[in-house]
């Protein structure tokens, strides 16, 4: 079909890959991708439902785009991803002009659905889950040129009580090892040498008995693989075997994202996280013993139902003691249909949640900077990712520990190259350095 489309992506890296899959499917069916919304006949928003704020953002954004729809060039507005699976009906009531909602397992139907809408001018949706659908044969249309995300499993079986993911993405399914390796090889052949393996819970990867450490080892061995990352790991499934694979392979990034969510065992139990804080900290200790220079990042939720001041103090203590490189700190957002929404009262006031988040944000800023400063004086290998946003005579890159570093350009160095950079200073969450080789 000879129509143009524009796609906007919200939410996690899984959605980034999914938008690349959608783009590939639509281009394959003859549609043309445009990066200026004014040129588009079709606009698609690939959405996230993880917190209410993410939903509000999409509603505002679509509201803004409405003017274009009225103006004529734009003919179809559609919503993809996680909101359609969660509160699609409510969304449709608020945005009565949308013509399309499609969930994460139904992207192959998009070309036909769009054709149907052009024919009958009616609203269409495809929201079923499909336990077989892994998009193994679809080569994602990459939006990035130095790093590729490759999805290895989809869905989640963990049912943390606060979380919508199991409801909006369905049950876990792992992609075949052959299709992963073949995509990795193709990606490297295209000149992308940094790869991130993705899953909501990568270490529950299980393809006919092949588990994540074995997969990671196989991917690390692919010829031309310079730097390998993966996300997200769940503390309850994290094994020593996985850490040993990182130790064994120089091309696996020395960075690890391991959410702990809360410091209090009572809260962790009510969240259904499947570990105690002691078990979590023992795993951190094991990781640090095996890989002393590893950068560890985490996620935290504040204001979960019933979280007392004492519970919160335990979260503060974990942050102080563990000295994470970075932490993503979220205010609990009650999600419709989840167990915590059904069984607990959202009883921490909005003000108190805000105060708790503010407090740990400031604390973590200081802790993170102390961690960063440890790199000053070191020479580290950096992948050049882009020109710096602030100055076009500088590059932005990432170290082996996944830390951001800014440095002056020199002749003969280009985006996608690996260079040795000496770290000179650290500010906020950023390192600054100079190329030495
Ligand atoms: N699968 C990953 C997390 C995916 S969601 C894991 O289990 O670690 C990313 C983060 O969003 C979570 O780690 C959690 O900190 C946060 N989050 C999820 N649901 C939330 C909710 N209802 N309110 C606030 N934060 C939430
Ligand atoms: Fe959500 Fe828990 Fe699954 Fe992560 S592991 S996606 S937080 S249910
Ligand atoms: Fe959001 Fe869906 Fe990812 S809810 S966090 S985009 S899996």
């Amino acid at each position: 079909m000879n129509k143009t489309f524009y796609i906007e992506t919200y939410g996690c890296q899984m959605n980034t890959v999914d938008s690349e899959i959608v783009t590939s499917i639509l281009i394959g069916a003859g549609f043309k991708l445009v990066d200026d919304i004014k040129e588009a006949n079709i606009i698609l928003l690939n959405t996230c439902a993880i917190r209410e704020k993410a939903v509000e953002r999409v509603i505002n954004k679509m509201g803004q785009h409405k003017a274009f729809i009225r103006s004529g060039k734009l003919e179809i507005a559609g919503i993809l991803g996680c909101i359609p699976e969660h509160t699609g009906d409510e969304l449709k009531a608020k945005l009565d002009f949308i013509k399309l909602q499609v969930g994460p397992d139904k992207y192959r139907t998009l070309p036909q659905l769009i054709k149907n809408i052009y024919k009958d001018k009616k609203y269409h949706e495809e929201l079923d889950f499909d336990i077989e659908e892994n998009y193994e044969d679809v080569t994602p249309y990459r939006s990035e040129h130095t790093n590729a995300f490759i999805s290895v499993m989809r869905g989640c079986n963990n049912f943390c009580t606060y979380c919508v993911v199991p409801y909006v993405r369905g049950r876990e399914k792992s992609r075949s090892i052959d299709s992963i390796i073949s995509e990795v090889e193709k990606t490297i052949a295209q000149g992308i040498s940094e790869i991130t393996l993705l899953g909501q819970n990568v270490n529950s990867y299980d393809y006919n008995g092949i588990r994540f450490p074995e997969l990671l080892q196989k991917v690390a061995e692919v010829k031309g693989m310079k730097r390998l990352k993966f996300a997200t790991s769940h503390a309850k499934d994290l094994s020593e075997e996985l850490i040993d694979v990182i130790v064994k392979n120089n091309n696996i990034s020395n960075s690890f994202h391991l959410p702990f969510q809360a410091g209090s065992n009572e809260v962790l139990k009510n969240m259904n996280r499947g570990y105690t804080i002691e078990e979590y900290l023992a795993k951190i200790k094991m990781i640090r013993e095996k890989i002393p220079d590893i950068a560890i990042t985490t996620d935290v939720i504040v204001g979960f139902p019933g979280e007392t001041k004492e519970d919160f103090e335990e979260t503060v203590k974990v942050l102080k003691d563990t000295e994470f490189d970075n932490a993503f700190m979220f205010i609990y957002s009650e999600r419709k249909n989840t167990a915590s929404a059904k069984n607990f009262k959202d009883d921490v006031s909005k003000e108190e949640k805000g105060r708790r988040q503010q407090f740990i944000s400031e604390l973590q800023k200081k802790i993170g900077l102390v961690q960063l400063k440890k790199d000053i004086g070191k020479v580290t290998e950096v992948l050049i990712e882009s020109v710096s946003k602030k100055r076009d005579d500088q590059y932005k890159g990432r170290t082996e520990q996944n830390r951001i570093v800014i440095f002056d350009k020199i002749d003969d160095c280009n985006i996608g190259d690996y260079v040795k950079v000496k770290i000179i200073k650290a500010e906020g969450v950023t390192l600054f350095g100079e190329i030495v080789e």
Side-chain angles (χ1 to χ4, degrees):
M1 199 172 205
N2 191 18
K3 294 282 182 185
T4 55
F5 71 100
Y6 169 90
I7 184 163
E8 231 166 56
T9 309
Y10 298 85
C12 65
Q13 294 163 334
M14 303 292 296
N15 260 12
T16 306
V17 183
D18 279 1
S19 287
E20 294 173 351
I21 288 170
V22 167
T23 302
S24 174
I25 290 171
L26 287 176
I27 290 176
F31 294 88
K32 185 168 172 276
L33 175 70
V34 290
D35 54 16
D36 180 354
I37 189 169
K38 294 194 197 82
E39 303 292 316
N41 303 125
I42 302 154
I43 156 168
L44 301 169
L45 265 55
N46 191 6
T47 63
C48 172
I50 201 88
R51 285 168 289 274
E52 196 52 34
K53 271 210 175 120
V55 180
E56 284 162 10
R57 193 176 310 143
V58 165
I59 292 173
N60 288 339
K61 210 53 202 261
M62 253 319 185
Q64 288 167 21
H65 293 331
K66 198 172 163 178
F68 287 111
I69 297 166
R70 303 271 186 256
S71 77
K73 175 126 190 163
L74 204 63
E75 295 155 341
I76 297 176
I79 305 283
L80 313 178
C82 298
I83 299 179
E85 298 289 353
H86 187 228
T87 49
D89 291 347
E90 289 170 24
L91 192 75
K92 188 166 176 280
K94 282 189 185 131
L95 304 169
D96 56 357
F97 55 91
I98 59 173
K99 281 274 182 270
L100 179 73
Q101 291 200 75
V102 180
D105 284 353
K106 285 288 166 190
Y107 294 143
R108 285 183 206 268
T109 66
L110 270 166
Q112 190 56 49
L113 283 180
I114 293 172
K115 279 177 202 156
N116 294 348
I117 299 170
Y118 273 108
K119 242 186 255 151
D120 66 13
K121 311 276 180 240
K122 290 199 178 110
Y123 169 83
H124 290 256
E125 64 179 30
E126 280 286 350
L127 302 174
D128 287 350
F129 290 128
D130 179 351
I131 196 71
E132 302 289 327
E133 184 56 279
N134 268 322
Y135 301 104
E136 296 201 346
D137 56 319
V138 181
T139 304
Y141 178 92
R142 305 259 177 239
S143 47
E144 289 243 2
H145 303 293
T146 55
N147 180 328
F149 295 129
I150 295 184
S151 141
V152 301
M153 50 102 52
R154 299 174 69 87
C156 183
N157 293 350
N158 284 328
F159 288 93
C160 300
T161 55
Y162 50 81
C163 184
V164 287
V165 171
Y167 304 92
V168 298
R169 292 254 161 190
R171 293 297 68 71
E172 276 172 14
K173 47 195 172 177
S174 297
R175 185 175 159 184
S176 78
I177 195 146
D178 287 350
S179 84
I180 296 169
I181 298 286
S182 134
E183 191 180 336
V184 168
E185 285 169 347
K186 261 195 237 159
T187 309
I188 292 175
Q190 285 165 5
I192 298 179
S193 61
E194 183 182 82
I195 282 170
T196 307
L197 303 181
L198 285 185
Q200 276 301 349
N201 187 11
V202 282
N203 42 12
S204 47
Y205 177 87
D206 187 345
Y207 183 75
N208 294 340
I210 297 173
R211 304 304 311 268
F212 190 64
E214 199 179 322
L215 171 70
L216 189 67
Q217 179 60 46
K218 287 215 160 84
V219 175
E221 284 166 13
V222 173
K223 205 164 157 248
M225 170 71 67
K226 275 287 278 183
R227 196 180 275 182
L228 180 56
K229 305 192 253 183
F230 58 91
T232 297
S233 308
H234 194 299
K236 107 182 132 53
D237 304 317
L238 172 68
S239 65
E240 225 172 313
E241 194 192 347
L242 175 61
I243 304 304
D244 289 337
V245 174
I246 305 179
V247 174
K248 220 165 69 192
N249 295 278
N250 280 333
N251 57 359
I252 303 180
S253 169
N254 278 352
S255 59
F256 210 97
H257 185 63
L258 198 64
F260 77 96
Q261 312 296 4
S264 145
N265 280 330
E266 180 66 20
V267 175
L268 285 174
K269 192 173 95 223
N270 291 338
M271 287 178 163
N272 189 33
R273 286 294 288 179
Y275 53 82
T276 63
I277 196 63
E278 291 75 20
E279 285 163 348
Y280 175 89
L281 293 171
K283 295 211 168 160
I284 294 283
K285 188 161 170 267
M286 181 266 292
I287 300 173
R288 289 229 162 106
E289 273 167 12
K290 288 184 183 256
I291 316 169
D293 68 340
I294 197 147
I296 304 179
T297 54
T298 197
D299 292 348
V300 180
I301 296 176
V302 296
F304 185 81
E307 184 187 69
T308 61
K309 288 216 160 82
E310 293 72 33
D311 291 326
F312 173 65
E313 280 309 317
E314 295 193 54
T315 295
V316 172
K317 187 169 184 314
V318 172
L319 287 169
K320 279 186 183 160
D321 293 351
T322 314
E323 300 181 319
F324 293 100
D325 246 66
N326 202 353
F328 301 91
M329 288 160 282
F330 305 108
I331 287 179
Y332 172 73
S333 169
E334 188 176 273
R335 311 311 293 135
K336 197 175 160 184
N337 299 333
T338 58
S340 70
K342 285 182 195 151
N343 302 330
F344 304 114
K345 192 163 172 279
D346 187 5
D347 58 358
V348 181
S349 73
K350 210 172 151 208
E351 295 70 34
E352 183 57 23
K353 283 174 176 165
R355 257 198 303 276
R356 289 180 191 179
Q357 188 198 36
Q358 178 81 15
F359 183 83
I360 56 172
S361 299
E362 276 163 25
L363 171 71
Q364 179 55 40
K365 234 188 249 165
K366 287 185 205 132
I367 295 170
L369 189 56
V370 173
Q371 295 300 100
L372 269 190
K373 283 189 170 160
K374 290 182 182 164
D375 274 359
I376 294 174
K378 285 187 191 158
V379 174
T380 151
E381 190 174 58
V382 172
L383 167 61
I384 306 178
E385 283 188 346
S386 60
V387 173
S388 154
K389 273 195 197 121
K390 289 198 183 131
R391 281 177 50 178
D392 59 11
D393 59 344
Q394 291 188 320
Y395 278 132
K396 176 185 148 236
R398 275 181 199 270
T399 70
E400 284 157 22
Q401 282 84 11
N402 207 28
R403 295 176 182 135
I404 295 170
V405 53
I406 306 284
F407 47 94
D408 286 346
K409 285 182 180 174
I410 59 166
D411 290 344
D412 296 334
C413 277
N414 298 303
I415 291 170
D417 288 349
Y418 289 82
V419 287
K420 289 265 192 303
V421 171
K422 183 170 182 193
I423 306 302
I424 304 165
K425 65 171 179 174
E427 273 171 20
V429 289
T430 311
L431 294 168
F432 295 84
E434 60 190 20
I435 297 180
V436 292
E437 205 181 302

